[in-house]
Amino acid sequence: PTRHTLVRGRSSRSPLHTPRPSSLHRRHRRRRRRRRRRRRVVVTMFGWAVDTWNTLRSMNYRQLVLQLVSLGLIVTSALVIWKTLMIVTGSESPVVVVLSGSMEPAFYRGDILFLYLAKRSTVLGEIVVFNIEGREIPIVHRVIRAHVRARDGRQDILTKGDNNYSDDTVLYAAGQDWLHEEHIMGKAAGFLPHVGRVTILMNDYPYAKYAVIGLLGLLVVTSRE
């Protein structure tokens, strides 16, 4: 028979009632699950490394050369595609990754932007990517002021991040109050959200970048197709 007891105003069954596990027990279970997942990942990676090593050892000289040539063709094709995009868009960097949140909510960190560089003047409200002397990383911001000088016909451009409080004069080089057309790398023509997060990860952790490149190279070299 089941006996009922009153606990804090609620009826609970005793002794058949199973108490809830404590938070300490839940933490222990989560840790065990994480350890099991890590072990599975390590075993999988070790098996892949052994298989790759065995594949490399089983290749003769001719097969290895052919696979290296295939890898070279892939790299060359990527460079040709990049150069073609540069010619078509007129921009030296037709694809860039947003690295900060200064343009939210228009663009978020990790979005990929597609750029073009038209020969016309930059107009108010356009989103441009520009380089500043002394800065290695380009900046993606919006044009908030633009006018053409009467004396020499050069265009003065002032930019600002949508999520920033002030304009970009604090980011420009010392003594520089305006951007000019030579600073503009391209103008935003489209974007893909969040696709560039892998690029951010590889920039934050350079060793991860080299590891990914090395793994991709091994996959191509050891591929049987």
Side-chain angles (χ1 to χ4, degrees):
T2 302
R3 182 163 52 90
H4 292 269
T5 58
L6 189 65
V7 179
R8 292 185 180 179
R10 295 184 181 182
S11 176
S12 63
R13 297 188 174 188
S14 176
L16 299 180
H17 174 68
T18 303
R20 292 185 178 181
S22 65
S23 59
L24 182 61
H25 291 164
R26 288 196 295 269
R27 284 199 296 270
H28 283 320
R29 282 206 298 267
R30 285 196 294 266
R31 288 171 186 167
R32 285 196 295 269
R33 285 196 294 266
R34 283 197 295 267
R35 282 196 290 266
R36 285 196 292 267
R37 284 196 295 266
R38 290 194 197 104
R39 281 197 292 267
R40 285 196 294 267
V41 171
V42 170
V43 169
T44 303
M45 293 298 294
F46 182 76
W48 177 82
V50 171
D51 291 341
T52 302
W53 174 248
N54 291 333
T55 302
L56 288 173
R57 290 186 61 187
S58 65
M59 285 183 177
N60 56 37
Y61 178 75
R62 182 179 178 183
Q63 288 175 327
L64 185 59
V65 170
L66 287 175
Q67 295 297 86
L68 290 175
V69 169
S70 299
L71 177 60
L73 288 175
I74 292 174
V75 174
T76 303
S77 300
L79 291 175
V80 169
I81 292 173
W82 184 259
K83 290 293 185 182
T84 303
L85 286 174
M86 290 175 62
I87 294 172
V88 171
T89 61
S91 172
E92 63 184 73
S93 184
V95 180
V96 297
V97 178
V98 179
L99 299 178
S100 72
S102 62
M103 278 301 294
E104 294 179 4
F107 301 121
Y108 291 87
R109 193 168 186 260
D111 291 353
I112 286 183
L113 296 185
F114 300 100
L115 308 181
Y116 75 100
L117 192 60
K119 294 183 178 179
R120 60 171 176 78
S121 299
T122 303
V123 296
L124 193 67
E126 275 190 312
I127 297 173
V128 297
V129 178
F130 57 91
N131 257 329
I132 295 297
E133 184 179 353
R135 288 179 175 266
E136 296 182 359
I137 301 176
I139 301 173
V140 183
H141 279 175
R142 191 183 301 275
V143 176
I144 60 171
R145 290 183 63 186
H147 63 267
V148 177
R149 297 179 185 176
R151 62 178 183 275
D152 55 12
R154 294 187 71 191
Q155 187 177 30
D156 291 334
I157 301 166
L158 182 63
T159 55
K160 175 185 174 296
D162 289 357
N163 200 29
N164 290 349
Y165 291 106
S166 60
D167 58 47
D168 292 342
T169 50
V170 294
L171 302 177
Y172 300 160
Q176 181 180 354
D177 296 324
W178 303 91
L179 294 178
H180 302 105
E181 290 297 334
E182 60 267 22
H183 298 115
I184 306 298
M185 295 175 54
K187 303 167 184 178
F191 78 101
L192 286 175
H194 309 302
V195 180
R197 289 191 177 273
V198 177
T199 304
I200 294 177
L201 178 65
M202 291 192 292
N203 279 334
D204 292 341
Y205 303 97
Y207 291 112
K209 175 171 61 178
Y210 301 137
V212 169
I213 293 173
L215 289 174
L216 291 176
L218 278 177
L219 288 174
V220 173
V221 170
T222 57
S223 174
R224 291 295 187 178
E225 298 180 359

